[in-house]
């Protein structure tokens, strides 16, 4: 499988969309080399505005720019948007229904050695709770490109969460992003795995290991956190009766919570959220952090096997 | 832009004050004193300076006004209604359920509101963004933004000020409603703003200082500032126009009771006779 970071795909997508749409402007807050908006600024310097290390003003300026008929992408690290600029995103950008796409990189633990100050583990919760803000988390470079194309061509505010490291390319090149739709990557009958972002590949690995243990797991990529694919979640949850959600985020308020909200009126469905259990991360290599905080395929499998044995009587591996 | 005489603007400002006082009393809410301190500026803007069309609020070539101190919404709604954006009777729906006139301006609900404001410091950044958009499109329109003096406590104001001069934006006028009070008391006692003019100068802005209740001075300053990046520090009086409201911070977010309201209206009507 090819490896590519979602932030690299983001930078390339901006260049591509910039050539098609002269109305597209991009802003960054002194992190254009990290976020890869530097690819756009190199090609279209007159359409790029660096706000300096001032995320709150960047969000406000982008909002105002959009009200003069522009499509604006703002970028920084996930920890600074929505983190640093939360009130500006809520009260100016989304409240005024601005045509601004907040596309952030370096989300979650996989930031690695920079440590917990730069590992955003709350941003899914913070973004999806704002009324009218669409929230997207692509799982690979192909989906990133497709999601950004969709967001730039869809009026209104979007939050798109990307990562720092290279990740395997799962989707085929002609993949088309559908807002509000989940994607079944693997069919299965015993349990349902639902995840987003970097965790999608971990889930696919998990499903393989589970198969060796005679558990048939279906894997659903859920890139559209808001709006979320309620029908798919309900149908699959009813089918297997056992759902595991995986996210590089706190288990409080993220994808897992969104899934739980979707099936709150369903009976006899077991749901377990896998993610950070109300703790900050720390410095380390991404793979070390995934191991320590229970996000690696091996750790996820361990957790699932333990629960599966307890919940499904008669199962013995 | 109509050709109102100063005398005429004076009358409009007096009637606007009456509207603000009556409406806030009637609906029992709204930031009264800070609306009265900036109403003269808003009247000169909407009736003399701004190139706008109430029948076409989204007219592409318009000048734009952004009320960054969104709590002065009663003043903004009053000039919008009086200049024809919506019927004056609608002012009495202020802050009520199902109204387009929210406690703070909501751009999704009311035509003529360029962007939602209310959380301080944010409207100014958006105004800078609009000015940048106009500059990028080589449009002639000017962006006007009213910022509260207490609002200048917000770091975002200074981020935006730095951004505007860094990008050499020259189609934006900031008016500071320098009434010298914020909710907790006198601005210089809560957190020092002075030397305010020097601060703005050092951030790369032209500055002017005027009497924010002298309609001539307001008009002259606004006209002179067109096509530049200027801050007009408008020295104002909180609660201006009614003796017992002036410099009385009790009325920051509290309207007059019915008795006070009729006293205030009487006082303003007497002044109206002499205009």
């Amino acid at each position: 499988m090819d490896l590519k970071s979602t932030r690299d795909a983001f930078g390339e997508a901006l260049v591509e969309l910039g050539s098609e749409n002269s109305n597209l402007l991009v802003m960054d807050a002194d992190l254009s080399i990290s976020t890869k908006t530097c690819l756009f600024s190199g090609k279209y310097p007159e359409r790029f505005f660096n706000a300096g290390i001032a995320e709150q003003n960047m969000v406000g300026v982008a909002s105002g720019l959009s009200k003069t008929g522009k499509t604006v992408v703002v970028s920084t690290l996930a920890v600074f948007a929505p983190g640093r600029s939360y009130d500006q995103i809520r009260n100016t950008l989304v409240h005024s229904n601005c045509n601004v796409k907040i596309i952030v990189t370096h989300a979650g633990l996989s930031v690695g050695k920079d440590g917990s100050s730069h590992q955003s583990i709350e941003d899914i919760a913070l973004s999806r709770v704002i009324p009218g803000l669409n929230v997207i988390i692509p799982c690979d470079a192909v989906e990133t490109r497709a999601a950004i194309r969709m967001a730039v061509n869809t009026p209104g505010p979007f939050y798109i969460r990307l990562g720092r490291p290279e990740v395997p390319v799962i989707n085929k090149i002609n993949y088309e992003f559908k807002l509000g739709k989940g994607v079944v990557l693997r069919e299965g009958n015993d349990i349902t795995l639902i995840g987003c972002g970097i965790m999608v590949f971990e889930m696919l690995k998990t499903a393989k290991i589970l198969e060796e243990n005679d558990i048939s797991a279906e894997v659903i990529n859920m890139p559209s956190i808001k709006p979320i694919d309620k029908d798919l979640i309900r149908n699959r949850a009813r089918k297997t009766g056992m759902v595991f959600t995986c996210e590089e985020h706190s288990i409080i308020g993220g994808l897992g919570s969104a899934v739980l909200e979707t099936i709150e009126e369903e009976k006899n469905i077991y749901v377990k959220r896998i993610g950070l259990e109300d703790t900050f991360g720390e410095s380390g290599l991404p793979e070390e952090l995934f191991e320590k905080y229970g996000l690696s395929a091996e750790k996820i499998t361990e957790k699932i096997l333990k629960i599966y044995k307890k919940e499904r009587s008669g199962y013995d591996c | 832009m109509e050709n109102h005489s100063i005398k005429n603007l004076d009358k409009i400002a007096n009637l606007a004050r009456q509207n603000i006082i009556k409406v806030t009393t009637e609906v029992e809410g709204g930031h009264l004193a800070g609306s009265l301190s900036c109403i003269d500026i808003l009247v000169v803007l909407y009736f003399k300076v701004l190139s706008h069309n109430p029948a076409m609020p989204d007219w592409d070539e318009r000048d734009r006004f952004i009320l960054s101190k969104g709590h002065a919404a009663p003043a903004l709604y009053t000039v919008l209604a009086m200049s024809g954006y919506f019927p004056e009777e609608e002012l009495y729906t202020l802050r009520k359920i199902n109204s387009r006139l929210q406690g703070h301006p909501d751009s999704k609900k009311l035509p003529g509101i360029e962007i939602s404001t209310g959380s301080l410091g944010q409207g100014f950044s958006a105004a800078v963004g609009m000015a940048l958009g106009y500059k990028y499109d080589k449009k002639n329109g000017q962006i006007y933004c009213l910022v509260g003096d207490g609002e200048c406590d917000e770091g975002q104001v200074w981020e935006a000020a730095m951004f505007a001069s860094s990008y050499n934006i020259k189609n934006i006028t900031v008016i500071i409603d320098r009434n010298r009070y914020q909710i907790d008391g006198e601005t210089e006692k809560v957190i020092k703003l002075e030397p305010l003019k020097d601060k703005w100068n050092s951030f790369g802005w032209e500055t002017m200082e005027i009497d924010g209740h002298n309609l001539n001075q307001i008009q002259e300053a606004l006209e002179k500032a067109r096509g530049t990046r200027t801050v007009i520090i408008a020295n104002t009086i909180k609660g201006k126009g009614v003796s017992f409201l002036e410099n009385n911070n009790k009325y920051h977010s509290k309207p007059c009771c019915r008795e006070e309201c009729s006293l205030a209206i009487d006082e303003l009507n007497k002044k109206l006779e002499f205009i």
Side-chain angles (χ1 to χ4, degrees), chain B residues 187-253:
Chain B
T187 57
E188 299 315 289
K189 286 187 180 162
V190 175
I191 188 110
K192 268 198 200 331
L193 287 171
E194 294 297 342
L196 189 57
K197 202 173 165 182
D198 293 347
K199 283 192 175 81
W200 282 94
N201 273 326
S202 70
F203 274 72
W205 288 65
E206 301 282 331
T207 53
M208 290 186 224
E209 195 166 351
I210 60 163
D211 172 352
H213 300 302
N214 182 319
L215 302 179
N216 263 320
Q217 283 190 28
I218 298 169
Q219 188 190 333
E220 273 174 32
L222 289 171
E223 279 169 3
K224 199 177 158 201
R226 201 176 175 91
T228 68
R229 176 177 65 255
T230 296
V231 175
I232 300 169
I233 297 174
N235 290 311
T236 58
I237 293 167
K238 208 160 177 178
K240 172 71 180 179
V242 177
S243 53
F244 62 89
L245 296 178
E246 289 188 2
N247 287 321
N248 186 345
N249 211 34
K250 192 172 94 180
Y251 296 95
H252 173 87
S253 51

Side-chain angles (χ1 to χ4, degrees), chain A residues 10 14 26-32 34-37 55 58 73-77 81 101-105 162:
Chain A
F10 165 44
L14 281 183
V26 176
M27 296 190 73
D28 206 307
D30 195 41
L31 285 164
S32 64
S34 305
T35 63
K36 302 297 177 190
T37 59
E55 297 79 9
M58 173 173 73
V73 167
V74 295
S75 191
T76 179
L77 309 191
K101 323 300 167 187
I102 308 156
I103 306 181
V104 300
T105 65
L162 306 175

Side-chain angles (χ1 to χ4, degrees), chain B residues 1-20:
Chain B
M1 202 181 346
E2 292 174 52
N3 196 18
H4 290 286
S5 64
I6 289 295
K7 191 174 164 183
N8 208 353
L9 289 179
D10 216 356
K11 278 184 187 161
I12 294 169
N14 181 298
L15 295 172
R17 285 197 160 81
Q18 297 200 28
N19 264 330
I20 292 168

Side-chain angles (χ1 to χ4, degrees), chain B residues 31-49:
Chain B
H31 291 73
L32 175 61
S35 291
L36 294 175
S37 66
C38 68
I39 190 66
D40 292 312
I41 298 159
L42 266 62
V43 164
V44 176
L45 276 166
Y46 277 84
F47 288 89
K48 194 77 187 173
V49 173

